[in-house]
Amino acid sequence: MIPKILLLAVLAIFIAYLYQKWQANEDIYSDEIDKSIISAWNASIKLPSRRFSRISVGVNSNVDLIVSGIQLLKSLKVLPGNQQNHNILTTVEDFEETFGFFFSKGMAAERAFTVPDVYNSIIDVADGLPEKEYYIGGNAALMAEKVVSLHPDAKVQYVGPVGPKLRELMPPSISIPELSNIPRDEVHLIMEYSVGDTWGNLQAPVANRFISSFDESNSKMTMLESFFMSLESFRPDLIIMSGLHLLEGQTKEFFNEKIKTLKDRLHAVPKYIPVHLELASMSSGSFLEAILDQVLPAISSLGLNEQELSFASHSKGGPHSEEYLARGQPEVHKIVDMMLWLLKTYGQTKQRVNSKLTRVHFHSLTYHIVGVVSDFWQNNEAALSAGTRIAGRQACDVESLNPEEVDLKIPMQFKLFSGAAERKFNQNDPIISWDLEGFHFVFSPVLICKNPLKTVGLGDSISATGLMYSEFVPRQ
Ligand SMILES: *[C@@H]1O[C@H](CO)[C@@H](O)[C@H](O)[C@H]1NC(C)=O
């Protein structure tokens, strides 16, 4: 008689074999779905009949300096002391203690220096390290870079704080007027560490990064007036702005003053020149409210993600106001409800003829949606497809997507908005368009890169790409 244990072992091996076969089949099946989505994008993406040709971008930029955290601390001859978090950094000791605090936990963190001298001396040491990398940083500079890469024939002007290093890094085809010059770059120091790295008696449990900065121009938006001044001679047909979120560290008076200036300058921009604003993560509800109430009616197009959208809805009493606390991927119908609310509340409607807002471009990890006031924007399907396709391409850092390197993570059944019927996702028709209460919406899933290499500035790339494939048709 065969021992029971042997029988069980054989059975276990057989089940494992079946499972593996099923898994392989699943992979082939999901690769097929990915491929049909890529084909659908390819078929849908076409340039609009009238493309933007003069694009003005501003106003936040910096240089990202990436170094090994431990190498830098060794060069600074700093050893770990107390591990203690400081919300703002003023001394080398604050810096050392805060780094130690997050390093020993393996937690990502970002802290600002309030005084330049200490920070600059740290940067000088980091700059002297044999191994370091410099990159373009800041949403606006990244969007300018994306726009010229997509559309090399276009004239692109960038205005924002540009020091000597950033000028070197920016593509030479971008025109940067002299009024952008600052004597010393605003550097964001990114200290990377790997799992198991040791510093004194501390050891990193996981790989992560600690970011510190001292921003004068960005945090005070000093280039705002210069930006609007430069528009007169440049005569853009599209304006792209970002950097408002960086004002959060300022006093309420300072912030309100800047917002008022921005609002006045935006209202002076002729209606036939669309202005896109890219939002970024904010933590102050009252600052966000001021941006919504005062800036939104003065811009044509808004780019944002689920955190910003749900925080806006929460701050202003919109639908699904508890969604901003939710973890995980947001449900499609909730996002559409909130976009519809945003367009109805701030967009150009019969009740609000003076508002300029006619487009909202939403991007999350797993899907994107664009909502426009019908007829103001054309080529929306192509624009949204181009934005979703670039998300996977840039994250994987490839020219063309390979189905094996990406994953689809949307539910296979969902509603397009509250009150709509559930629908099955159709891989052969993945880009969905519909009209709702005078607005036109387009949905497309994202193919998420399994092993992402480049995630910095992904939202900026998505929004810039969507704009370059869009056509603005102002009403007379
Ligand atoms: C999509 O287009 C790219 C070129 O942009 C091409 O390399 C790729 O093979 C196409 N993929 C599919 C599935 O049609």
Side-chain angles (χ1 to χ4, degrees):
M1 210 177 106
I2 308 167
K4 245 191 199 152
I5 188 97
L6 194 65
L7 213 64
L8 276 176
V10 170
L11 194 67
I13 290 168
F14 184 64
I15 288 170
Y17 165 77
L18 281 183
Y19 179 75
Q20 198 194 0
K21 224 176 132 103
W22 173 77
Q23 268 274 302
N25 261 331
E26 278 285 285
D27 284 349
I28 291 168
Y29 177 64
S30 75
D31 285 354
E32 281 305 311
I33 296 182
D34 297 348
K35 213 169 134 191
S36 64
I37 293 170
I38 298 168
S39 304
W41 286 337
N42 281 2
S44 142
I45 297 171
K46 54 180 191 329
L47 285 164
S49 45
R50 209 166 46 90
R51 292 154 78 177
F52 294 116
S53 62
R54 301 182 67 84
I55 301 111
S56 187
V57 190
V59 288
N60 68 313
S61 51
N62 62 271
V63 176
D64 284 344
L65 170 55
I66 304 183
V67 297
S68 147
I70 302 308
Q71 267 176 28
L72 174 60
L73 290 161
K74 282 186 178 151
S75 296
L76 285 166
K77 302 199 171 48
V78 172
L79 282 168
N82 297 330
Q83 289 111 61
Q84 195 186 329
N85 173 38
H86 299 265
N87 285 334
I88 52 165
L89 309 178
T90 47
T91 62
V92 173
E93 198 172 22
D94 292 348
F95 173 68
E96 164 264 296
E97 291 184 347
T98 309
F99 177 84
F101 178 82
F102 289 105
F103 174 80
S104 61
K105 293 183 162 48
M107 272 166 71
E110 195 161 347
R111 291 290 179 270
F113 273 86
T114 48
V115 282
D117 300 358
V118 175
Y119 186 66
N120 286 343
S121 64
I122 294 171
I123 292 300
D124 290 342
V125 174
D127 184 56
L129 290 174
E131 284 167 50
K132 70 206 166 225
E133 287 168 276
Y134 279 105
Y135 294 99
I136 297 174
N139 315 72
L142 289 169
M143 285 194 282
E145 188 191 22
K146 194 77 215 170
V147 167
V148 274
S149 77
L150 288 168
H151 197 352
D153 300 337
K155 292 238 177 317
V156 179
Q157 175 169 274
Y158 177 75
V159 173
V162 178
K165 191 78 201 173
L166 184 58
R167 193 169 271 276
E168 232 173 74
L169 293 170
M170 289 289 268
S173 55
I174 298 179
S175 106
I176 304 172
E178 259 174 39
L179 47 76
S180 284
N181 286 354
I182 51 169
R184 195 180 167 115
D185 282 286
E186 305 222 314
V187 179
H188 290 191
L189 177 63
I190 300 169
M191 297 164 72
E192 292 189 324
Y193 52 85
S194 309
V195 54
D197 273 4
T198 55
W199 174 46
N201 56 346
L202 304 181
Q203 189 167 33
V206 292
N208 222 324
R209 46 192 7 209
F210 179 80
I211 304 177
S212 53
S213 61
F214 174 76
D215 278 3
E216 181 77 32
S217 305
N218 286 315
S219 65
K220 294 193 174 146
M221 241 184 166
T222 56
M223 292 289 172
L224 191 63
E225 297 276 6
S226 304
F227 179 74
F228 282 98
M229 255 164 56
S230 73
L231 299 179
E232 255 167 61
S233 56
F234 184 69
R235 306 177 70 82
D237 55 14
L238 172 65
I239 296 169
I240 304 179
M241 295 194 75
S242 184
L244 263 62
H245 58 290
L246 300 171
L247 288 169
E248 264 197 336
Q250 303 301 322
T251 62
K252 199 152 180 115
E253 291 70 41
F254 186 93
F255 179 82
N256 288 340
E257 196 64 29
K258 275 282 164 185
I259 294 296
K260 187 180 179 305
T261 307
L262 174 63
K263 184 178 108 177
D264 293 346
R265 298 291 175 277
L266 285 170
H267 276 302
V269 174
K271 274 195 165 169
Y272 56 83
I273 306 172
V275 181
H276 175 86
L277 173 71
E278 190 65 23
L279 277 189
S281 166
M282 297 193 69
S283 55
S284 157
S286 65
F287 281 16
L288 179 62
E289 266 187 60
I291 292 175
L292 295 171
D293 291 340
Q294 299 185 57
V295 182
L296 249 56
I299 56 165
S300 325
S301 170
L302 179 72
L304 79 186
N305 70 15
E306 69 275 22
Q307 273 134 28
E308 291 123 38
L309 179 62
S310 56
F311 193 40
S313 190
H314 172 78
S315 305
K316 297 297 293 184
H320 310 292
S321 66
E322 293 314 305
E323 190 65 19
Y324 82 110
L325 294 169
R327 296 269 170 271
Q329 281 303 304
E331 290 170 85
V332 175
H333 71 274
K334 290 186 178 167
I335 292 298
V336 176
D337 291 348
M338 289 191 269
M339 288 175 74
L340 183 65
W341 161 81
L342 198 70
L343 283 162
K344 277 161 103 174
T345 311
Y346 297 102
Q348 187 176 127
T349 58
K350 284 198 190 75
Q351 290 77 37
R352 299 171 53 84
V353 284
N354 287 327
S355 169
K356 290 182 180 173
L357 184 70
T358 49
R359 178 178 185 268
V360 176
H361 188 176
F362 167 84
H363 40 80
S364 71
L365 179 70
T366 55
Y367 61 89
H368 301 172
I369 297 173
V370 68
V372 300
V373 179
S374 294
D375 306 334
F376 268 94
W377 293 85
Q378 300 290 328
N379 218 38
N380 299 303
E381 282 71 8
L384 194 77
S385 300
T388 38
R389 191 174 69 176
I390 206 85
R393 280 187 181 178
Q394 181 162 323
C396 281
D397 201 12
V398 290
E399 286 293 315
S400 176
L401 280 177
N402 174 358
E404 287 168 23
E405 293 175 346
V406 290
D407 266 339
L408 179 69
K409 293 242 173 86
I410 55 161
M412 286 299 103
Q413 191 158 326
F414 54 86
K415 290 189 286 196
L416 289 178
F417 50 93
S418 284
E422 291 264 341
R423 56 188 290 151
K424 280 209 168 70
F425 177 69
N426 177 357
Q427 65 188 79
N428 297 313
D429 203 3
I431 307 151
I432 308 167
S433 305
W434 70 101
D435 291 310
L436 187 63
E437 300 185 40
F439 304 98
H440 182 66
F441 287 88
V442 185
F443 164 97
S444 173
V446 172
L447 291 174
I448 303 161
C449 187
K450 287 180 190 166
N451 300 301
L453 297 170
K454 273 174 82 176
T455 52
V456 173
L458 209 51
D460 304 318
S461 282
I462 291 161
S463 287
T465 304
L467 284 166
M468 294 318 288
Y469 280 88
S470 296
E471 183 171 345
F472 181 60
V473 191
R475 274 181 207 159
Q476 293 314 312

